[in-house]
Amino acid sequence: MVVGASGMYVVAVVLPAVQAEFGIARGEASIPYTLTMIGFGIGGMLMGKLADRFGVMVPLLIGAVSLGAGFVIAGLAPNILTFTLAHGFLIGLCGSSATFSPLIADTSLWFVRRRGIAVAVCASGNYLGGAIWPPIVQHFVETVGWRQTYIGLGMCGFLVMGGLALLMRQRPPAVTAHVSNGKVQASRLPFGLSLTKAQLLLCVAGVACCVAMAMPQVHIVAYCGDLGYGAARGAQMLSLMLACGIVSRLVSGVICDRIGGLRTLLLGSVLQGVALLLFLPFDGLVSLYVISALFGLFQGGIVPSYAIIVREHFPAAEAGSRVGSVIMCTMLGMALGGWMSGKVFDMTGSYHAAFINGILWNLLNFAIVIFLLRRSARKENAPESPEKAIAV
């Protein structure tokens, strides 16, 4: 997952260099990231089905080949179109996607009582990659250029990820029966809603929270450059943000095992909104370092909590496909947020409005989670018999 995460995070580091070389606007330069995240989300569903049938090793091997080829082709790209397509199809759809939803789903099949922390540990590999890759990539971009850096990444990703995939032949134990965690019983009416309505609300919530999440993650490097601090400072902030996200995911996993996925998601939504608000009045160098760290600490557990919510509230037999669907929507939210923030910048000339846009999307996520919590509480307290109903 650490190696696969390179496809998600390095494009934000090279964004200023790519924009300058191809002579394009900030919004157009953000499209490769957008297509990468769209491909990442769709590919996660496809790779998950492949893993269900053949085991996780097969999609990981496909991902290794695709990730390596994608970075090399992007590094040799003669124009922005080739660069964009390499990110969307090879790096996103067939490469990095093999290392998120399939690995999380595979991990969830091995654990029951401590599923929250297990999934959190696995998902932390994504943020660990986000902490490791930006400063490394920024260093090589400044010393040898972004093209040579991409080619080197492709070779490294293919060799390391392909080698590790060969060690993951063993299939998880078959899940023959759903074991309740004692807190929330999965049913055919999650939150007292139909399966379709409940799934739709979770998907919309996933889009909303990740549109907000994408603003700092995708544009912090460019934002620091606009403020005069330089791209290197922005890469350090991105690395700090994602490193703190590792801590957040681990802590959120422990919290999730205690209070459940839905309340963990609510906590993350509130804290992410607070961090986004702090970006508005403070733009000093030290302030941005502190806020970047807080943002990482506050939002790291949001995406993994959706997998736990699905396992708690939906039938276990449908968990794989439904987790993949929600994770796909979170990736679509990241893609939309990355492009939207760049477009808002092009229209207004600053990132102030982009931060406000992120806050509004975060409020939508908060509202959906509150609604689901109230529905869940109402369902738990519903009378079980006519006599009880009369007594109430």
Side-chain angles (χ1 to χ4, degrees), residues 28-95:
E28 190 177 357
S30 301
I31 293 178
Y33 175 84
T34 299
L35 286 188
T36 299
M37 300 310 295
I38 292 175
F40 188 99
I42 297 174
M45 294 183 63
L46 301 177
M47 293 293 181
K49 291 182 178 180
L50 200 62
D52 287 339
R53 184 169 183 178
F54 301 106
V56 76
M57 183 185 74
V58 172
L60 286 178
L61 287 174
I62 296 174
V65 174
S66 300
L67 192 71
F71 273 124
V72 171
I73 292 174
L76 299 173
N79 50 55
I80 188 62
L81 178 60
T82 304
F83 183 84
T84 300
L85 292 177
H87 274 81
F89 289 98
L90 290 173
I91 297 176
L93 183 67
C94 301

Side-chain angles (χ1 to χ4, degrees), residues 168-228:
M168 303 187 70
R169 292 187 181 91
Q170 186 176 357
R171 301 292 299 272
V175 180
T176 58
H178 173 65
V179 181
S180 171
N181 64 5
K183 296 175 184 176
V184 182
Q185 293 285 345
S187 73
R188 304 299 302 183
L189 291 174
F191 319 111
L193 302 170
S194 69
L195 289 172
T196 301
K197 289 181 180 179
Q199 179 79 32
L200 179 61
L201 282 173
L202 282 180
C203 288
V204 174
V207 171
C209 73
C210 288
V211 168
M213 189 184 299
M215 202 280 121
Q217 286 191 12
V218 179
H219 291 273
I220 189 66
V221 176
Y223 183 46
C224 286
D226 293 341
L227 293 174

